[in-house]
Amino acid sequence: MAVKDTELPYLRRCVELAAEALEAGDEPFGSVLVGADGVVLAEDHNRVASGDRTRHPEFELARWSAARMTPEERAAATVYTSGEHCPMCAAAHAWVGLGRIVYVASSEQLASWLTEWGVPAPPVRTLPVHDVAPGVVVEGPVPELAEEARALHRRFHRGEG
């Protein structure tokens, strides 16, 4: 299944949330959890500037869904996100049984950008979701929004938040 034009508003919201994270002094990532009926159920952005490096929006949405949704509702939901899930978030997504992931920019793209800008590698290897959670349906990247995500990351890593 490919990303549909009707899904672009959810992805644009993810980029807006990433910009909100940047404005709050955090790394620019944002995610939206959408039910099978197209209703936005929850959203969040990165909160790792607090010192807790597990405060990724995808992880928070996995926790939120586990506490508030049935297994069937989780399986039918989609997580839209500005960046492909990291290994921690991909594992959380799979463990709670969430459905499809749609991301703006891939982990490969992000790693390439960081290398280009001379940013040191993170302490956890960047992996595609399928390497961590092979049963999850994943769509992305979304070229029409990837440059916006790249610009936010460039601002963050240049200290231009």
PDB file of all heavy atoms in Angstrom, residues 55-95:
ATOM      1  N   ARG A  55      12.142   9.570  25.441  1.00  0.00           N
ATOM      2  CA  ARG A  55      10.922  10.360  25.241  1.00  0.00           C
ATOM      3  C   ARG A  55      10.692  10.706  23.771  1.00  0.00           C
ATOM      4  O   ARG A  55      10.474  11.842  23.395  1.00  0.00           O
ATOM      5  CB  ARG A  55      10.962  11.640  26.084  1.00  0.00           C
ATOM      6  CG  ARG A  55      11.001  11.451  27.586  1.00  0.00           C
ATOM      7  CD  ARG A  55       9.711  10.944  28.207  1.00  0.00           C
ATOM      8  NE  ARG A  55       8.525  11.682  27.808  1.00  0.00           N
ATOM      9  CZ  ARG A  55       8.054  12.762  28.417  1.00  0.00           C
ATOM     10  NH1 ARG A  55       8.675  13.272  29.439  1.00  0.00           N
ATOM     11  NH2 ARG A  55       6.950  13.336  27.984  1.00  0.00           N
ATOM     12  N   HIS A  56      10.725   9.668  22.927  1.00  0.00           N
ATOM     13  CA  HIS A  56      10.422   9.821  21.504  1.00  0.00           C
ATOM     14  C   HIS A  56       8.905   9.777  21.329  1.00  0.00           C
ATOM     15  O   HIS A  56       8.216   9.028  22.024  1.00  0.00           O
ATOM     16  CB  HIS A  56      11.046   8.692  20.699  1.00  0.00           C
ATOM     17  CG  HIS A  56      12.537   8.671  20.719  1.00  0.00           C
ATOM     18  ND1 HIS A  56      13.266   7.840  19.892  1.00  0.00           N
ATOM     19  CD2 HIS A  56      13.450   9.369  21.445  1.00  0.00           C
ATOM     20  CE1 HIS A  56      14.548   8.019  20.117  1.00  0.00           C
ATOM     21  NE2 HIS A  56      14.693   8.933  21.053  1.00  0.00           N
ATOM     22  N   PRO A  57       8.360  10.519  20.364  1.00  0.00           N
ATOM     23  CA  PRO A  57       6.907  10.526  20.194  1.00  0.00           C
ATOM     24  C   PRO A  57       6.338   9.162  19.806  1.00  0.00           C
ATOM     25  O   PRO A  57       5.238   8.797  20.247  1.00  0.00           O
ATOM     26  CB  PRO A  57       6.667  11.560  19.097  1.00  0.00           C
ATOM     27  CG  PRO A  57       7.966  11.671  18.372  1.00  0.00           C
ATOM     28  CD  PRO A  57       9.031  11.395  19.389  1.00  0.00           C
ATOM     29  N   GLU A  58       7.078   8.391  19.014  1.00  0.00           N
ATOM     30  CA  GLU A  58       6.575   7.078  18.599  1.00  0.00           C
ATOM     31  C   GLU A  58       6.445   6.132  19.797  1.00  0.00           C
ATOM     32  O   GLU A  58       5.502   5.351  19.884  1.00  0.00           O
ATOM     33  CB  GLU A  58       7.511   6.453  17.549  1.00  0.00           C
ATOM     34  CG  GLU A  58       7.765   7.329  16.341  1.00  0.00           C
ATOM     35  CD  GLU A  58       8.932   8.291  16.514  1.00  0.00           C
ATOM     36  OE1 GLU A  58       9.491   8.419  17.630  1.00  0.00           O
ATOM     37  OE2 GLU A  58       9.290   8.929  15.506  1.00  0.00           O
ATOM     38  N   PHE A  59       7.392   6.232  20.717  1.00  0.00           N
ATOM     39  CA  PHE A  59       7.357   5.413  21.932  1.00  0.00           C
ATOM     40  C   PHE A  59       6.187   5.840  22.808  1.00  0.00           C
ATOM     41  O   PHE A  59       5.460   4.998  23.364  1.00  0.00           O
ATOM     42  CB  PHE A  59       8.688   5.567  22.682  1.00  0.00           C
ATOM     43  CG  PHE A  59       8.995   4.457  23.641  1.00  0.00           C
ATOM     44  CD1 PHE A  59       9.721   3.355  23.224  1.00  0.00           C
ATOM     45  CD2 PHE A  59       8.583   4.513  24.957  1.00  0.00           C
ATOM     46  CE1 PHE A  59      10.018   2.324  24.096  1.00  0.00           C
ATOM     47  CE2 PHE A  59       8.872   3.494  25.840  1.00  0.00           C
ATOM     48  CZ  PHE A  59       9.595   2.393  25.413  1.00  0.00           C
ATOM     49  N   GLU A  60       5.986   7.148  22.932  1.00  0.00           N
ATOM     50  CA  GLU A  60       4.861   7.659  23.730  1.00  0.00           C
ATOM     51  C   GLU A  60       3.523   7.217  23.139  1.00  0.00           C
ATOM     52  O   GLU A  60       2.598   6.856  23.878  1.00  0.00           O
ATOM     53  CB  GLU A  60       4.922   9.184  23.821  1.00  0.00           C
ATOM     54  CG  GLU A  60       6.133   9.718  24.554  1.00  0.00           C
ATOM     55  CD  GLU A  60       6.183   9.370  26.037  1.00  0.00           C
ATOM     56  OE1 GLU A  60       5.117   9.213  26.664  1.00  0.00           O
ATOM     57  OE2 GLU A  60       7.304   9.261  26.565  1.00  0.00           O
ATOM     58  N   LEU A  61       3.412   7.232  21.808  1.00  0.00           N
ATOM     59  CA  LEU A  61       2.160   6.798  21.181  1.00  0.00           C
ATOM     60  C   LEU A  61       1.930   5.301  21.367  1.00  0.00           C
ATOM     61  O   LEU A  61       0.785   4.859  21.520  1.00  0.00           O
ATOM     62  CB  LEU A  61       2.134   7.182  19.703  1.00  0.00           C
ATOM     63  CG  LEU A  61       2.103   8.690  19.418  1.00  0.00           C
ATOM     64  CD1 LEU A  61       2.084   8.941  17.920  1.00  0.00           C
ATOM     65  CD2 LEU A  61       0.946   9.378  20.110  1.00  0.00           C
ATOM     66  N   ALA A  62       2.997   4.520  21.375  1.00  0.00           N
ATOM     67  CA  ALA A  62       2.864   3.085  21.651  1.00  0.00           C
ATOM     68  C   ALA A  62       2.324   2.881  23.072  1.00  0.00           C
ATOM     69  O   ALA A  62       1.397   2.089  23.286  1.00  0.00           O
ATOM     70  CB  ALA A  62       4.196   2.374  21.463  1.00  0.00           C
ATOM     71  N   ARG A  63       2.882   3.599  24.032  1.00  0.00           N
ATOM     72  CA  ARG A  63       2.395   3.505  25.423  1.00  0.00           C
ATOM     73  C   ARG A  63       0.939   3.950  25.512  1.00  0.00           C
ATOM     74  O   ARG A  63       0.127   3.316  26.183  1.00  0.00           O
ATOM     75  CB  ARG A  63       3.248   4.387  26.338  1.00  0.00           C
ATOM     76  CG  ARG A  63       4.594   3.843  26.647  1.00  0.00           C
ATOM     77  CD  ARG A  63       5.286   4.775  27.644  1.00  0.00           C
ATOM     78  NE  ARG A  63       6.597   4.294  27.969  1.00  0.00           N
ATOM     79  CZ  ARG A  63       7.680   5.038  27.970  1.00  0.00           C
ATOM     80  NH1 ARG A  63       7.621   6.317  27.654  1.00  0.00           N
ATOM     81  NH2 ARG A  63       8.833   4.522  28.303  1.00  0.00           N
ATOM     82  N   TRP A  64       0.632   5.078  24.875  1.00  0.00           N
ATOM     83  CA  TRP A  64      -0.729   5.609  24.908  1.00  0.00           C
ATOM     84  C   TRP A  64      -1.710   4.578  24.358  1.00  0.00           C
ATOM     85  O   TRP A  64      -2.748   4.323  24.945  1.00  0.00           O
ATOM     86  CB  TRP A  64      -0.786   6.913  24.100  1.00  0.00           C
ATOM     87  CG  TRP A  64      -2.097   7.631  24.187  1.00  0.00           C
ATOM     88  CD1 TRP A  64      -2.412   8.633  25.045  1.00  0.00           C
ATOM     89  CD2 TRP A  64      -3.273   7.382  23.400  1.00  0.00           C
ATOM     90  NE1 TRP A  64      -3.708   9.031  24.842  1.00  0.00           N
ATOM     91  CE2 TRP A  64      -4.263   8.276  23.845  1.00  0.00           C
ATOM     92  CE3 TRP A  64      -3.585   6.495  22.380  1.00  0.00           C
ATOM     93  CZ2 TRP A  64      -5.534   8.314  23.289  1.00  0.00           C
ATOM     94  CZ3 TRP A  64      -4.859   6.526  21.824  1.00  0.00           C
ATOM     95  CH2 TRP A  64      -5.820   7.434  22.281  1.00  0.00           C
ATOM     96  N   SER A  65      -1.358   3.992  23.225  1.00  0.00           N
ATOM     97  CA  SER A  65      -2.269   3.033  22.581  1.00  0.00           C
ATOM     98  C   SER A  65      -2.454   1.778  23.430  1.00  0.00           C
ATOM     99  O   SER A  65      -3.553   1.236  23.503  1.00  0.00           O
ATOM    100  CB  SER A  65      -1.775   2.672  21.180  1.00  0.00           C
ATOM    101  OG  SER A  65      -0.616   1.859  21.246  1.00  0.00           O
ATOM    102  N   ALA A  66      -1.399   1.319  24.071  1.00  0.00           N
ATOM    103  CA  ALA A  66      -1.494   0.116  24.910  1.00  0.00           C
ATOM    104  C   ALA A  66      -2.441   0.338  26.082  1.00  0.00           C
ATOM    105  O   ALA A  66      -3.148  -0.581  26.497  1.00  0.00           O
ATOM    106  CB  ALA A  66      -0.114  -0.286  25.412  1.00  0.00           C
ATOM    107  N   ALA A  67      -2.492   1.557  26.589  1.00  0.00           N
ATOM    108  CA  ALA A  67      -3.334   1.873  27.738  1.00  0.00           C
ATOM    109  C   ALA A  67      -4.784   2.170  27.368  1.00  0.00           C
ATOM    110  O   ALA A  67      -5.679   2.037  28.210  1.00  0.00           O
ATOM    111  CB  ALA A  67      -2.749   3.071  28.490  1.00  0.00           C
ATOM    112  N   ARG A  68      -5.044   2.539  26.113  1.00  0.00           N
ATOM    113  CA  ARG A  68      -6.370   3.055  25.765  1.00  0.00           C
ATOM    114  C   ARG A  68      -7.076   2.361  24.601  1.00  0.00           C
ATOM    115  O   ARG A  68      -8.223   2.687  24.324  1.00  0.00           O
ATOM    116  CB  ARG A  68      -6.249   4.540  25.435  1.00  0.00           C
ATOM    117  CG  ARG A  68      -5.869   5.378  26.636  1.00  0.00           C
ATOM    118  CD  ARG A  68      -5.575   6.811  26.238  1.00  0.00           C
ATOM    119  NE  ARG A  68      -5.232   7.630  27.380  1.00  0.00           N
ATOM    120  CZ  ARG A  68      -4.022   7.697  27.918  1.00  0.00           C
ATOM    121  NH1 ARG A  68      -3.027   6.995  27.403  1.00  0.00           N
ATOM    122  NH2 ARG A  68      -3.791   8.467  28.963  1.00  0.00           N
ATOM    123  N   MET A  69      -6.401   1.455  23.920  1.00  0.00           N
ATOM    124  CA  MET A  69      -6.994   0.842  22.732  1.00  0.00           C
ATOM    125  C   MET A  69      -7.006  -0.675  22.859  1.00  0.00           C
ATOM    126  O   MET A  69      -6.119  -1.249  23.504  1.00  0.00           O
ATOM    127  CB  MET A  69      -6.191   1.240  21.480  1.00  0.00           C
ATOM    128  CG  MET A  69      -6.170   2.734  21.200  1.00  0.00           C
ATOM    129  SD  MET A  69      -4.997   3.178  19.878  1.00  0.00           S
ATOM    130  CE  MET A  69      -5.871   2.579  18.430  1.00  0.00           C
ATOM    131  N   THR A  70      -7.962  -1.295  22.211  1.00  0.00           N
ATOM    132  CA  THR A  70      -7.998  -2.758  22.172  1.00  0.00           C
ATOM    133  C   THR A  70      -6.922  -3.238  21.195  1.00  0.00           C
ATOM    134  O   THR A  70      -6.465  -2.466  20.330  1.00  0.00           O
ATOM    135  CB  THR A  70      -9.356  -3.274  21.685  1.00  0.00           C
ATOM    136  OG1 THR A  70      -9.529  -2.891  20.302  1.00  0.00           O
ATOM    137  CG2 THR A  70     -10.514  -2.746  22.524  1.00  0.00           C
ATOM    138  N   PRO A  71      -6.540  -4.497  21.281  1.00  0.00           N
ATOM    139  CA  PRO A  71      -5.577  -5.018  20.305  1.00  0.00           C
ATOM    140  C   PRO A  71      -6.052  -4.838  18.866  1.00  0.00           C
ATOM    141  O   PRO A  71      -5.245  -4.523  17.979  1.00  0.00           O
ATOM    142  CB  PRO A  71      -5.453  -6.493  20.679  1.00  0.00           C
ATOM    143  CG  PRO A  71      -5.755  -6.525  22.149  1.00  0.00           C
ATOM    144  CD  PRO A  71      -6.821  -5.477  22.336  1.00  0.00           C
ATOM    145  N   GLU A  72      -7.342  -5.006  18.628  1.00  0.00           N
ATOM    146  CA  GLU A  72      -7.879  -4.851  17.274  1.00  0.00           C
ATOM    147  C   GLU A  72      -7.779  -3.403  16.800  1.00  0.00           C
ATOM    148  O   GLU A  72      -7.459  -3.150  15.638  1.00  0.00           O
ATOM    149  CB  GLU A  72      -9.341  -5.326  17.222  1.00  0.00           C
ATOM    150  CG  GLU A  72      -9.528  -6.797  17.509  1.00  0.00           C
ATOM    151  CD  GLU A  72      -9.452  -7.168  18.998  1.00  0.00           C
ATOM    152  OE1 GLU A  72      -9.625  -6.279  19.860  1.00  0.00           O
ATOM    153  OE2 GLU A  72      -9.187  -8.347  19.295  1.00  0.00           O
ATOM    154  N   GLU A  73      -8.070  -2.461  17.687  1.00  0.00           N
ATOM    155  CA  GLU A  73      -7.965  -1.042  17.332  1.00  0.00           C
ATOM    156  C   GLU A  73      -6.518  -0.663  17.040  1.00  0.00           C
ATOM    157  O   GLU A  73      -6.247   0.080  16.094  1.00  0.00           O
ATOM    158  CB  GLU A  73      -8.506  -0.163  18.461  1.00  0.00           C
ATOM    159  CG  GLU A  73     -10.008  -0.244  18.631  1.00  0.00           C
ATOM    160  CD  GLU A  73     -10.494   0.411  19.902  1.00  0.00           C
ATOM    161  OE1 GLU A  73      -9.759   0.432  20.914  1.00  0.00           O
ATOM    162  OE2 GLU A  73     -11.647   0.902  19.883  1.00  0.00           O
ATOM    163  N   ARG A  74      -5.607  -1.174  17.838  1.00  0.00           N
ATOM    164  CA  ARG A  74      -4.182  -0.880  17.610  1.00  0.00           C
ATOM    165  C   ARG A  74      -3.726  -1.429  16.264  1.00  0.00           C
ATOM    166  O   ARG A  74      -3.033  -0.746  15.510  1.00  0.00           O
ATOM    167  CB  ARG A  74      -3.319  -1.457  18.738  1.00  0.00           C
ATOM    168  CG  ARG A  74      -3.494  -0.721  20.053  1.00  0.00           C
ATOM    169  CD  ARG A  74      -2.432  -1.079  21.083  1.00  0.00           C
ATOM    170  NE  ARG A  74      -2.341  -2.470  21.420  1.00  0.00           N
ATOM    171  CZ  ARG A  74      -2.967  -3.071  22.430  1.00  0.00           C
ATOM    172  NH1 ARG A  74      -3.776  -2.373  23.218  1.00  0.00           N
ATOM    173  NH2 ARG A  74      -2.777  -4.355  22.668  1.00  0.00           N
ATOM    174  N   ALA A  75      -4.125  -2.646  15.955  1.00  0.00           N
ATOM    175  CA  ALA A  75      -3.707  -3.275  14.694  1.00  0.00           C
ATOM    176  C   ALA A  75      -4.244  -2.525  13.478  1.00  0.00           C
ATOM    177  O   ALA A  75      -3.598  -2.508  12.427  1.00  0.00           O
ATOM    178  CB  ALA A  75      -4.160  -4.730  14.658  1.00  0.00           C
ATOM    179  N   ALA A  76      -5.389  -1.865  13.625  1.00  0.00           N
ATOM    180  CA  ALA A  76      -6.002  -1.144  12.505  1.00  0.00           C
ATOM    181  C   ALA A  76      -5.532   0.315  12.419  1.00  0.00           C
ATOM    182  O   ALA A  76      -5.838   1.000  11.447  1.00  0.00           O
ATOM    183  CB  ALA A  76      -7.524  -1.189  12.639  1.00  0.00           C
ATOM    184  N   ALA A  77      -4.787   0.773  13.399  1.00  0.00           N
ATOM    185  CA  ALA A  77      -4.328   2.168  13.444  1.00  0.00           C
ATOM    186  C   ALA A  77      -3.069   2.357  12.601  1.00  0.00           C
ATOM    187  O   ALA A  77      -2.370   1.403  12.261  1.00  0.00           O
ATOM    188  CB  ALA A  77      -4.049   2.571  14.890  1.00  0.00           C
ATOM    189  N   THR A  78      -2.783   3.619  12.291  1.00  0.00           N
ATOM    190  CA  THR A  78      -1.565   3.990  11.576  1.00  0.00           C
ATOM    191  C   THR A  78      -0.821   5.040  12.389  1.00  0.00           C
ATOM    192  O   THR A  78      -1.438   5.965  12.920  1.00  0.00           O
ATOM    193  CB  THR A  78      -1.904   4.569  10.183  1.00  0.00           C
ATOM    194  OG1 THR A  78      -2.587   3.573   9.422  1.00  0.00           O
ATOM    195  CG2 THR A  78      -0.647   5.009   9.436  1.00  0.00           C
ATOM    196  N   VAL A  79       0.490   4.891  12.465  1.00  0.00           N
ATOM    197  CA  VAL A  79       1.339   5.911  13.068  1.00  0.00           C
ATOM    198  C   VAL A  79       2.025   6.656  11.932  1.00  0.00           C
ATOM    199  O   VAL A  79       2.756   6.059  11.137  1.00  0.00           O
ATOM    200  CB  VAL A  79       2.389   5.302  14.026  1.00  0.00           C
ATOM    201  CG1 VAL A  79       3.346   6.384  14.517  1.00  0.00           C
ATOM    202  CG2 VAL A  79       1.706   4.617  15.204  1.00  0.00           C
ATOM    203  N   TYR A  80       1.740   7.954  11.850  1.00  0.00           N
ATOM    204  CA  TYR A  80       2.402   8.836  10.899  1.00  0.00           C
ATOM    205  C   TYR A  80       3.506   9.538  11.667  1.00  0.00           C
ATOM    206  O   TYR A  80       3.324   9.926  12.825  1.00  0.00           O
ATOM    207  CB  TYR A  80       1.406   9.857  10.332  1.00  0.00           C
ATOM    208  CG  TYR A  80       0.319   9.214   9.519  1.00  0.00           C
ATOM    209  CD1 TYR A  80      -0.874   8.806  10.110  1.00  0.00           C
ATOM    210  CD2 TYR A  80       0.495   8.985   8.162  1.00  0.00           C
ATOM    211  CE1 TYR A  80      -1.866   8.189   9.360  1.00  0.00           C
ATOM    212  CE2 TYR A  80      -0.495   8.369   7.402  1.00  0.00           C
ATOM    213  CZ  TYR A  80      -1.670   7.974   8.016  1.00  0.00           C
ATOM    214  OH  TYR A  80      -2.656   7.358   7.273  1.00  0.00           O
ATOM    215  N   THR A  81       4.655   9.705  11.037  1.00  0.00           N
ATOM    216  CA  THR A  81       5.775  10.286  11.760  1.00  0.00           C
ATOM    217  C   THR A  81       6.722  11.023  10.824  1.00  0.00           C
ATOM    218  O   THR A  81       6.815  10.702   9.637  1.00  0.00           O
ATOM    219  CB  THR A  81       6.495   9.184  12.578  1.00  0.00           C
ATOM    220  OG1 THR A  81       7.443   9.769  13.437  1.00  0.00           O
ATOM    221  CG2 THR A  81       7.106   8.141  11.699  1.00  0.00           C
ATOM    222  N   SER A  82       7.387  12.019  11.376  1.00  0.00           N
ATOM    223  CA  SER A  82       8.295  12.820  10.557  1.00  0.00           C
ATOM    224  C   SER A  82       9.553  12.056  10.188  1.00  0.00           C
ATOM    225  O   SER A  82      10.170  12.345   9.161  1.00  0.00           O
ATOM    226  CB  SER A  82       8.666  14.116  11.285  1.00  0.00           C
ATOM    227  OG  SER A  82       9.344  13.839  12.494  1.00  0.00           O
ATOM    228  N   GLY A  83       9.943  11.103  11.013  1.00  0.00           N
ATOM    229  CA  GLY A  83      11.131  10.301  10.733  1.00  0.00           C
ATOM    230  C   GLY A  83      10.875   8.843  11.038  1.00  0.00           C
ATOM    231  O   GLY A  83      10.133   8.526  11.979  1.00  0.00           O
ATOM    232  N   GLU A  84      11.466   7.977  10.252  1.00  0.00           N
ATOM    233  CA  GLU A  84      11.312   6.538  10.478  1.00  0.00           C
ATOM    234  C   GLU A  84      11.680   6.199  11.919  1.00  0.00           C
ATOM    235  O   GLU A  84      12.628   6.742  12.476  1.00  0.00           O
ATOM    236  CB  GLU A  84      12.214   5.767   9.510  1.00  0.00           C
ATOM    237  CG  GLU A  84      12.047   4.275   9.582  1.00  0.00           C
ATOM    238  CD  GLU A  84      12.878   3.543   8.534  1.00  0.00           C
ATOM    239  OE1 GLU A  84      13.708   4.182   7.849  1.00  0.00           O
ATOM    240  OE2 GLU A  84      12.681   2.328   8.399  1.00  0.00           O
ATOM    241  N   HIS A  85      10.938   5.290  12.507  1.00  0.00           N
ATOM    242  CA  HIS A  85      11.169   4.883  13.890  1.00  0.00           C
ATOM    243  C   HIS A  85      12.611   4.424  14.109  1.00  0.00           C
ATOM    244  O   HIS A  85      13.176   3.709  13.273  1.00  0.00           O
ATOM    245  CB  HIS A  85      10.277   3.694  14.251  1.00  0.00           C
ATOM    246  CG  HIS A  85       8.816   3.981  14.374  1.00  0.00           C
ATOM    247  ND1 HIS A  85       8.163   4.978  13.694  1.00  0.00           N
ATOM    248  CD2 HIS A  85       7.867   3.360  15.109  1.00  0.00           C
ATOM    249  CE1 HIS A  85       6.873   4.948  14.005  1.00  0.00           C
ATOM    250  NE2 HIS A  85       6.672   3.979  14.868  1.00  0.00           N
ATOM    251  N   CYS A  86      13.165   4.778  15.246  1.00  0.00           N
ATOM    252  CA  CYS A  86      14.452   4.231  15.673  1.00  0.00           C
ATOM    253  C   CYS A  86      14.207   2.792  16.144  1.00  0.00           C
ATOM    254  O   CYS A  86      13.056   2.362  16.279  1.00  0.00           O
ATOM    255  CB  CYS A  86      15.044   5.084  16.798  1.00  0.00           C
ATOM    256  SG  CYS A  86      14.217   4.867  18.390  1.00  0.00           S
ATOM    257  N   PRO A  87      15.258   2.019  16.402  1.00  0.00           N
ATOM    258  CA  PRO A  87      15.057   0.636  16.853  1.00  0.00           C
ATOM    259  C   PRO A  87      14.201   0.518  18.118  1.00  0.00           C
ATOM    260  O   PRO A  87      13.358  -0.369  18.214  1.00  0.00           O
ATOM    261  CB  PRO A  87      16.478   0.129  17.077  1.00  0.00           C
ATOM    262  CG  PRO A  87      17.302   0.911  16.102  1.00  0.00           C
ATOM    263  CD  PRO A  87      16.678   2.283  16.110  1.00  0.00           C
ATOM    264  N   MET A  88      14.403   1.406  19.083  1.00  0.00           N
ATOM    265  CA  MET A  88      13.607   1.375  20.315  1.00  0.00           C
ATOM    266  C   MET A  88      12.123   1.562  20.015  1.00  0.00           C
ATOM    267  O   MET A  88      11.268   0.821  20.514  1.00  0.00           O
ATOM    268  CB  MET A  88      14.096   2.467  21.268  1.00  0.00           C
ATOM    269  CG  MET A  88      13.242   2.636  22.513  1.00  0.00           C
ATOM    270  SD  MET A  88      13.792   4.032  23.535  1.00  0.00           S
ATOM    271  CE  MET A  88      13.303   5.445  22.513  1.00  0.00           C
ATOM    272  N   CYS A  89      11.811   2.540  19.185  1.00  0.00           N
ATOM    273  CA  CYS A  89      10.417   2.842  18.866  1.00  0.00           C
ATOM    274  C   CYS A  89       9.797   1.777  17.973  1.00  0.00           C
ATOM    275  O   CYS A  89       8.614   1.447  18.118  1.00  0.00           O
ATOM    276  CB  CYS A  89      10.316   4.218  18.230  1.00  0.00           C
ATOM    277  SG  CYS A  89      10.774   5.538  19.382  1.00  0.00           S
ATOM    278  N   ALA A  90      10.582   1.230  17.052  1.00  0.00           N
ATOM    279  CA  ALA A  90      10.081   0.141  16.205  1.00  0.00           C
ATOM    280  C   ALA A  90       9.718  -1.064  17.060  1.00  0.00           C
ATOM    281  O   ALA A  90       8.681  -1.710  16.842  1.00  0.00           O
ATOM    282  CB  ALA A  90      11.127  -0.232  15.158  1.00  0.00           C
ATOM    283  N   ALA A  91      10.552  -1.373  18.051  1.00  0.00           N
ATOM    284  CA  ALA A  91      10.264  -2.500  18.939  1.00  0.00           C
ATOM    285  C   ALA A  91       8.999  -2.229  19.752  1.00  0.00           C
ATOM    286  O   ALA A  91       8.128  -3.106  19.868  1.00  0.00           O
ATOM    287  CB  ALA A  91      11.455  -2.762  19.862  1.00  0.00           C
ATOM    288  N   ALA A  92       8.864  -1.028  20.308  1.00  0.00           N
ATOM    289  CA  ALA A  92       7.665  -0.693  21.081  1.00  0.00           C
ATOM    290  C   ALA A  92       6.417  -0.801  20.216  1.00  0.00           C
ATOM    291  O   ALA A  92       5.387  -1.339  20.643  1.00  0.00           O
ATOM    292  CB  ALA A  92       7.796   0.714  21.664  1.00  0.00           C
ATOM    293  N   HIS A  93       6.503  -0.295  19.001  1.00  0.00           N
ATOM    294  CA  HIS A  93       5.395  -0.343  18.041  1.00  0.00           C
ATOM    295  C   HIS A  93       4.956  -1.799  17.815  1.00  0.00           C
ATOM    296  O   HIS A  93       3.774  -2.129  17.879  1.00  0.00           O
ATOM    297  CB  HIS A  93       5.865   0.303  16.734  1.00  0.00           C
ATOM    298  CG  HIS A  93       4.813   0.446  15.695  1.00  0.00           C
ATOM    299  ND1 HIS A  93       4.236   1.652  15.411  1.00  0.00           N
ATOM    300  CD2 HIS A  93       4.243  -0.445  14.854  1.00  0.00           C
ATOM    301  CE1 HIS A  93       3.350   1.504  14.439  1.00  0.00           C
ATOM    302  NE2 HIS A  93       3.346   0.235  14.079  1.00  0.00           N
ATOM    303  N   ALA A  94       5.926  -2.658  17.561  1.00  0.00           N
ATOM    304  CA  ALA A  94       5.621  -4.070  17.302  1.00  0.00           C
ATOM    305  C   ALA A  94       5.096  -4.769  18.552  1.00  0.00           C
ATOM    306  O   ALA A  94       4.141  -5.553  18.473  1.00  0.00           O
ATOM    307  CB  ALA A  94       6.860  -4.784  16.770  1.00  0.00           C
ATOM    308  N   TRP A  95       5.706  -4.493  19.702  1.00  0.00           N
ATOM    309  CA  TRP A  95       5.282  -5.173  20.935  1.00  0.00           C
ATOM    310  C   TRP A  95       3.846  -4.853  21.311  1.00  0.00           C
ATOM    311  O   TRP A  95       3.134  -5.714  21.819  1.00  0.00           O
ATOM    312  CB  TRP A  95       6.212  -4.823  22.097  1.00  0.00           C
ATOM    313  CG  TRP A  95       7.474  -5.630  22.116  1.00  0.00           C
ATOM    314  CD1 TRP A  95       8.745  -5.159  21.981  1.00  0.00           C
ATOM    315  CD2 TRP A  95       7.599  -7.050  22.273  1.00  0.00           C
ATOM    316  NE1 TRP A  95       9.644  -6.194  22.034  1.00  0.00           N
ATOM    317  CE2 TRP A  95       8.973  -7.361  22.218  1.00  0.00           C
ATOM    318  CE3 TRP A  95       6.681  -8.085  22.443  1.00  0.00           C
ATOM    319  CZ2 TRP A  95       9.447  -8.658  22.330  1.00  0.00           C
ATOM    320  CZ3 TRP A  95       7.163  -9.388  22.566  1.00  0.00           C
ATOM    321  CH2 TRP A  95       8.516  -9.661  22.508  1.00  0.00           C
TER     322      TRP A  95
END
